[in-house]
Amino acid sequence: MFIDKAKIYVKAGDGGNGCVAFHREKFVPMGGPSGGDGGKGGDVIIVADSHLQTLMDFKYKRHYKAERGQHGQGGNKKGKDGEDLIIKVPVGTVIKDAETGEILADLVEEGQSFVVAKGGKGGRGNAAFKSATNQSPLTAEPGEKGEERWIELELKLLADVGIIGFPNAGKSTLISILSKARPKIADYPFTTLTPVLGVLQLDVNDFLVLADIPGLIEGASEGLGLGHEFLRHIERTKFLIHLIDVSDFRERDPIEAFNIINKELENYSPELIKKPQIVVANKIDALSDKTLINKLENYFSDKGFPFVAVSLITKEGVDKLVNLLREKKREWIEKSEKKNESVVLGNT
């Protein structure tokens, strides 16, 4: 089951109490205070793990507590520190404070970690309070309480390219052709109920990670259909493939369909509409009026959108799409390198 949102309670360990004790040994009168310090409570640490793909585990367990520190003992023995609690989440998980909505961390790399709740410090034993004016202190500190909070975990898939479009436009078929992903494919809307990742091999050591985003319909940004649940997964993508149905059996005009989906992107986040898009007209094998392709190509070219017409059934135009993706990735890399170079120059 694909779960990409979860709310959990985390509690770090309390610190151990300091000890009040006095040294007692034969032939050693007035041994003095010997109470040890309490141990530190364990932290709650969230770690990104590339082997995980979903937040499903948090559906069944919602409370997480780290070990408390042990109390100090006589003979100046410090209490043992509590063990840290490690919580593993998929790479791409955003951690938010459930009360304020503040983003605490965004774990986008394997092994990246964040201390979401710090353990309490151990209290000092009475040995720490000995002074010239107080040779036999009876004071020891209690351990500090560990931090506790409710947090929200939100998974955003790490993909280079997001595939968007109305249900039944052919998104699942496209990702299955371009990669080894095998999503459920059928001739009815909402076949895909969860985002699907696939890897397109462009060259021997050159890849693109694709994400099929399901359930986009008019009103998706307001919670209609499934799109509202999954729009977050295209926030990290570098560019988008916008699939439109141009067959004789299409439910709506291709340009109208394109504009409706883009409006949903803009309503969800103004940043999404700024992402570069490649428009892919699908199902040309079921199109009788071929002049429509020229009209669409002229329209989208004037708008600044690269355009490719394909048939995912006959594979016509797929090679052209792959070459265009290869070209766009090269442009994206060059742009990133120039941006990094300008940052370095700016710092000098």
Side-chain angles (χ1 to χ4, degrees), residues 164-166 217-219 242-244 252-267 273 277 279 299-300 303 305:
I164 61 174
F166 271 95
I217 62 172
E218 188 171 8
H242 196 144
L243 215 59
I244 55 176
R252 55 184 59 80
D253 177 76
I255 294 176
E256 178 190 9
F258 176 84
N259 290 330
I260 289 174
I261 293 297
N262 274 352
K263 187 62 178 178
E264 295 306 320
L265 298 185
E266 186 176 23
N267 289 342
I273 198 63
Q277 296 186 33
V279 180
Y299 174 84
F300 288 112
K303 297 289 185 180
F305 295 105

Side-chain angles (χ1 to χ4, degrees), residues 250-321:
R250 59 185 181 269
E251 295 182 5
R252 55 184 59 80
D253 177 76
I255 294 176
E256 178 190 9
F258 176 84
N259 290 330
I260 289 174
I261 293 297
N262 274 352
K263 187 62 178 178
E264 295 306 320
L265 298 185
E266 186 176 23
N267 289 342
Y268 182 80
S269 169
E271 295 302 314
L272 288 187
I273 198 63
K274 297 177 183 178
K275 290 185 180 294
Q277 296 186 33
I278 296 174
V279 180
V280 178
N282 184 29
K283 305 183 182 181
I284 59 175
D285 57 292
L287 174 65
S288 56
D289 181 11
K290 301 300 182 181
T291 62
L292 176 62
I293 299 303
N294 292 331
K295 293 177 182 178
L296 292 175
E297 185 170 12
N298 292 334
Y299 174 84
F300 288 112
S301 295
D302 289 343
K303 297 289 185 180
F305 295 105
F307 177 85
V308 182
V310 304
S311 166
L312 299 179
I313 299 298
T314 66
K315 308 296 192 300
E316 181 183 353
V318 171
D319 288 342
K320 184 178 179 181
L321 174 59

Side-chain angles (χ1 to χ4, degrees), residues 232-261:
R232 73 177 69 91
H233 294 297
I234 57 176
E235 289 184 301
R236 299 189 193 276
T237 57
K238 306 301 184 297
F239 55 94
L240 304 172
I241 294 176
H242 196 144
L243 215 59
I244 55 176
D245 181 355
V246 297
S247 71
D248 292 340
F249 311 103
R250 59 185 181 269
E251 295 182 5
R252 55 184 59 80
D253 177 76
I255 294 176
E256 178 190 9
F258 176 84
N259 290 330
I260 289 174
I261 293 297

Side-chain angles (χ1 to χ4, degrees), residues 1-6 8 52-62 64 88-90 93 153 155:
M1 184 184 299
F2 184 84
I3 303 293
D4 59 357
K5 292 186 76 174
I8 62 174
L52 300 176
Q53 305 297 328
T54 175
L55 299 174
M56 181 176 62
D57 290 345
F58 304 104
K59 180 179 180 181
Y60 304 103
K61 182 179 178 182
R62 301 185 67 195
Y64 295 83
K88 294 184 178 181
V89 298
T93 299
L153 303 175
L155 175 60

